[in-house]
Amino acid sequence: MAKPFLDVLKGDRRDPPPIWLMRQAGRYLPEYRELRAKAGGFLDLCYTPEFAVEVTLQPIERYGFDAAILFSDILVIPDGLGQDVSFVEGTGPVLKPIRSATEADLLSMDGLQKTLAPVYEAVSRLTGRLGAETALVGFAGAPWTVACYMVEGRTSRDFHAVKSFCYSDPEGFGRLMDLLVEATVAHLSAQVEAGVDAVQIFESHAGVLPEPEFMTWVVEPIRQIVAALREKWPNLPIIGFPRGAGPMYVPFAENTGVTAVSLDTSVSLDWAMDALPVGMPVQGNIDPVFLLTGGNEMDRAVERIIDACRSRPHIFNLGHGVDKQTDPKTVQRLVSKVREFSS
């Protein structure tokens, strides 16, 4: 049976467009909060296949999305490479910062597969739990975004530490990025081998770099990852999400080799329809805050986005992730609106 999500990534238009949401499994769902309390630490939730499978399925069972995205985190890669990674309630991710090439050179691929084996076990279990029309999406953080966390040690507003590293020692920083490319290829390959239908690469901090550095540290590493994956799986659908890239979405789309791009909230859809490569599928891009306000304004935003994307294959999604304050009933209204408006 056909999977609408995958049909769109092959270049077909579907009416209504398939829908899934970034962070569709998470803290806004009461069933997630209940399981999270049972699991203990956040990484315990990610590394316990039984829990990861249940969390992945929660929004599918509640809303019937066209795609499930594996419940995990982009920071399992630095954890697997040997960096100290923890998640602190009220703070978020905290890592032991890597501020030099000497410190980066202490990281190793040796323990990656063993550490992340539970993630791949969760994928294997999920393949037998999803309906015939529901796709399973695997993912990883892009090397630049993951490096931002590894060097800064936590979420950053100015990115001074990671920029200082890559500007002052591009050779040393390049070794860290090469390692992250290798690890990302291994991580995504293992997910594909375990059964995901498509993958998404999250470049959440794409917008913080000037153009030359964007090409060096965003576009080129992702190009290498896509090329390595396509050597094994020529038809693997790969979605790139260079959040905050603005006009740099175009060279990203043209040079990385991704199948589709996910558009953030700031992107003008009229511009994107004209500027992006002809026929490239797009994903997005309703503002997650509309899910906080809901109502007729959200409905109108849905209509506007679907209308704007009628010239291309389109997957309806957010411009970022679901906010933890979102009312689950509003998500149901969104799904219903997408499916009834264009049918």
Side-chain angles (χ1 to χ4, degrees), residues 132-215:
E133 295 187 352
T134 308
L136 179 57
V137 182
F139 74 94
W144 167 253
T145 288
V146 174
C148 287
Y149 284 99
M150 295 175 76
V151 176
E152 298 288 341
R154 59 183 62 216
T155 303
S156 176
R157 291 184 178 181
D158 54 37
F159 300 91
H160 285 175
V162 68
K163 286 185 175 184
S164 295
F165 188 173
C166 75
Y167 293 177
S168 65
D169 184 10
E171 181 179 346
F173 186 75
R175 293 204 301 274
L176 173 61
M177 293 292 279
D178 288 344
L179 177 65
L180 287 172
V181 168
E182 181 182 1
T184 305
V185 170
H187 185 42
L188 291 174
S189 295
Q191 292 178 55
V192 176
E193 288 165 355
V196 301
D197 297 303
V199 298
Q200 178 157 314
I201 300 173
F202 285 86
E203 187 67 282
S204 303
H205 300 319
V208 306
L209 286 170
E211 181 175 347
E213 287 72 25
F214 179 94
M215 299 301 295

Side-chain angles (χ1 to χ4, degrees), residues 52 56 68-73 119 122-123 126 136-139 191 196:
T56 302
I69 185 165
L70 170 68
F71 181 79
S72 185
D73 194 86
V119 177
V123 173
L126 280 163
L136 179 57
V137 182
F139 74 94
Q191 292 178 55
V196 301

Side-chain angles (χ1 to χ4, degrees), residues 87-94 154-155:
F87 288 80
V88 179
E89 195 67 33
T91 300
V94 177
R154 59 183 62 216
T155 303

Side-chain angles (χ1 to χ4, degrees), residues 50-323:
E50 175 187 353
F51 293 157
V53 167
E54 185 173 343
V55 174
T56 302
L57 292 174
Q58 285 172 348
I60 305 303
E61 293 167 349
R62 186 183 270 262
Y63 302 115
F65 287 121
D66 294 292
I69 185 165
L70 170 68
F71 181 79
S72 185
D73 194 86
I74 66 171
L75 297 183
V76 297
I77 283 184
D79 188 50
L81 292 173
Q83 187 175 15
D84 290 338
V85 179
S86 61
F87 288 80
V88 179
E89 195 67 33
T91 300
V94 177
L95 300 82
K96 183 179 180 182
I98 292 172
R99 297 290 169 82
S100 68
T102 301
E103 293 174 344
D105 289 342
L106 297 175
L107 301 171
S108 170
M109 289 283 295
D110 293 347
L112 186 79
Q113 292 294 321
K114 181 178 180 180
T115 300
L116 303 189
V119 177
Y120 315 135
E121 173 64 23
V123 173
S124 296
R125 295 187 187 189
L126 280 163
T127 57
R129 299 283 301 277
L130 293 169
E133 295 187 352
T134 308
L136 179 57
V137 182
F139 74 94
W144 167 253
T145 288
V146 174
C148 287
Y149 284 99
M150 295 175 76
V151 176
E152 298 288 341
R154 59 183 62 216
T155 303
S156 176
R157 291 184 178 181
D158 54 37
F159 300 91
H160 285 175
V162 68
K163 286 185 175 184
S164 295
F165 188 173
C166 75
Y167 293 177
S168 65
D169 184 10
E171 181 179 346
F173 186 75
R175 293 204 301 274
L176 173 61
M177 293 292 279
D178 288 344
L179 177 65
L180 287 172
V181 168
E182 181 182 1
T184 305
V185 170
H187 185 42
L188 291 174
S189 295
Q191 292 178 55
V192 176
E193 288 165 355
V196 301
D197 297 303
V199 298
Q200 178 157 314
I201 300 173
F202 285 86
E203 187 67 282
S204 303
H205 300 319
V208 306
L209 286 170
E211 181 175 347
E213 287 72 25
F214 179 94
M215 299 301 295
T216 300
W217 303 121
V218 171
V219 170
E220 178 56 21
I222 293 178
R223 186 199 66 77
Q224 293 176 21
I225 291 166
V226 172
L229 292 172
R230 290 270 165 72
E231 283 186 11
K232 298 180 182 179
W233 301 283
N235 299 316
L236 175 68
I238 303 172
I239 304 169
F241 181 36
R243 185 180 178 223
M248 296 303 290
Y249 259 96
V250 175
F252 180 94
E254 291 175 340
N255 293 288
T256 58
V258 296
T259 308
V261 289
S262 193
L263 304 174
D264 67 61
T265 300
S266 69
V267 173
S268 162
L269 292 178
D270 289 340
W271 170 83
M273 296 307 107
D274 290 337
L276 292 172
V278 174
M280 173 175 272
V282 296
Q283 179 177 273
N285 70 336
I286 192 169
D287 190 336
V289 177
F290 275 115
L291 275 71
L292 298 180
T293 59
N296 293 331
E297 289 302 320
M298 183 183 76
D299 294 348
R300 282 190 282 272
V302 169
E303 295 173 2
R304 174 180 55 79
I305 289 167
I306 293 176
D307 273 339
C309 295
R310 284 193 183 278
S311 64
R312 287 177 181 268
H314 176 220
I315 296 164
F316 197 94
N317 207 310
L318 303 179
H320 196 217
V322 178
D323 188 276

